[in-house]
Structure formats: C-alpha cells, structure tokens
Amino acid sequence: MSEFKTVRMEMKHLDETYEIEKNSFSIPWTRKSFEEEITANKMGIYYVAVEENAGVQKVVGYGGMWHVITEGHITNVAVAEEYRGRGIGDLLIDALEKEAVDKEMIGLTLEVRVGNTKAMKLYAKHGFKVEGIRKNYYADTKEDAIVMWKYFN
C-alpha cells in the first residue's frame, strides 16, 4: 500500500519535479531554475510530495516559496496530473504553512491565474483571501493574476 508525505526538495528530486513542472505550466521553469532554487537561493524553501511504495519514493507534486523578510511568497505548487484530487495539494500547502509559522513569518502570499478556479479553491480552503489583481500578469496569455494572502496573526 502506498502513502504520501512531504520532504524537503533535494537534488535527487529534480528530474521528477521538472517533469511535473513541464506538464503543469504553459511557461515552465527550467530544471536549472529548480536547481538554483534549492542550492543557491537563500530565500528558497521547497518541498516535494512523495508516494512511498515498498521503500521506493516517487515525486508526485511539489511546492515552494521564498522567505522575504517577514513573509512567504509561494512561487509554485503543482501535482502530477494522475495524482490530482487525492489531497496532495493540501499536504504541500500544509508543509509550506508549517515552515512559515516555524520561521515566524506574518503570512503567505501568492498569485494565481484568474481562470484557475481549482487552485483558488485549494488556497481558499487553507484560509487564503483575495487581496487584489495584477493585470496582464501572465506573459503567455496576458491573463490577470489574483493576489491571495493568508495572515497568521
């Protein structure tokens, strides 16, 4: 029987993470970007969700944020298509929130495409609220971004 858990992203997770990224976003980050996030970016905090089955781990999702002074800025969250709807997004948001609280951040913020209602529902379920709009935020479609915040105090 398999189970899911979150662990800090390491170099060994990059290939699987990059595959999820390419399949999830129209303008994906590069593999090199992820490598730099976990090795060189002092603000970067990244987790992967792994499925553990008979001692073998498979990356099924990932999420990351930047710790900027007193707040966390969620950079990206994605789950492999065949694993969506199984609570993995919740696990990733929980891991980022726990890290933010442990580091005494005042809250978390993110941008989400105005058309990505599934992601907005996930974030709202975790207490994120709409705080604004960034017009023409996404370069590929000129789609607006909804700015969401979750404050901890």
Side-chain angles (χ1 to χ4, degrees):
M1 186 162 100
S2 63
E3 63 180 60
F4 304 107
K5 68 178 183 177
T6 56
V7 296
R8 286 297 285 261
M9 186 186 291
E10 299 176 23
M11 292 292 289
K12 68 183 180 182
H13 302 123
L14 287 185
D15 289 337
E16 292 173 292
T17 298
Y18 182 55
E19 284 304 310
I20 295 168
E21 173 77 4
K22 288 190 308 187
N23 293 323
S24 299
F25 297 105
S26 57
I27 303 177
W29 284 15
T30 64
R31 186 185 184 285
K32 181 76 173 159
S33 294
F34 282 104
E35 184 177 330
E36 289 171 0
E37 285 296 304
I38 64 172
T39 62
N41 183 357
K42 301 290 187 225
M43 297 184 304
I45 301 167
Y46 286 81
Y47 283 88
V48 291
V50 294
E51 178 182 39
E52 212 161 281
N53 195 353
V56 176
Q57 288 188 348
K58 174 183 178 179
V59 175
V60 298
Y62 70 91
M65 68 179 169
W66 295 335
H67 182 181
V68 182
I69 307 173
T70 61
E71 62 194 47
H73 183 111
I74 295 178
T75 56
N76 40 19
V77 175
V79 175
E81 189 171 358
E82 64 271 26
Y83 287 88
R84 292 178 187 158
R86 296 171 68 178
I88 294 163
D90 291 308
L91 284 175
L92 291 163
I93 298 298
D94 287 344
L96 294 173
E97 286 182 7
K98 181 182 182 319
E99 185 84 20
V101 169
D102 289 350
K103 292 190 178 306
E104 299 179 349
M105 295 181 204
I106 62 167
L108 293 172
T109 187
L110 56 89
E111 293 90 10
V112 59
R113 286 180 189 268
V114 72
N116 192 345
T117 55
K118 284 186 180 181
M120 282 191 270
K121 285 179 185 175
L122 171 68
Y123 300 132
K125 176 179 163 186
H126 284 267
F128 285 78
K129 304 226 182 304
V130 173
E131 294 279 334
I133 296 175
R134 296 194 199 282
K135 292 299 220 178
N136 304 313
Y137 185 75
Y138 294 96
D140 59 334
T141 62
K142 302 295 184 219
E143 191 172 2
D144 296 344
I146 302 294
V147 179
M148 300 181 81
W149 270 92
K150 178 178 182 175
Y151 296 99
F152 298 129
N153 42 358

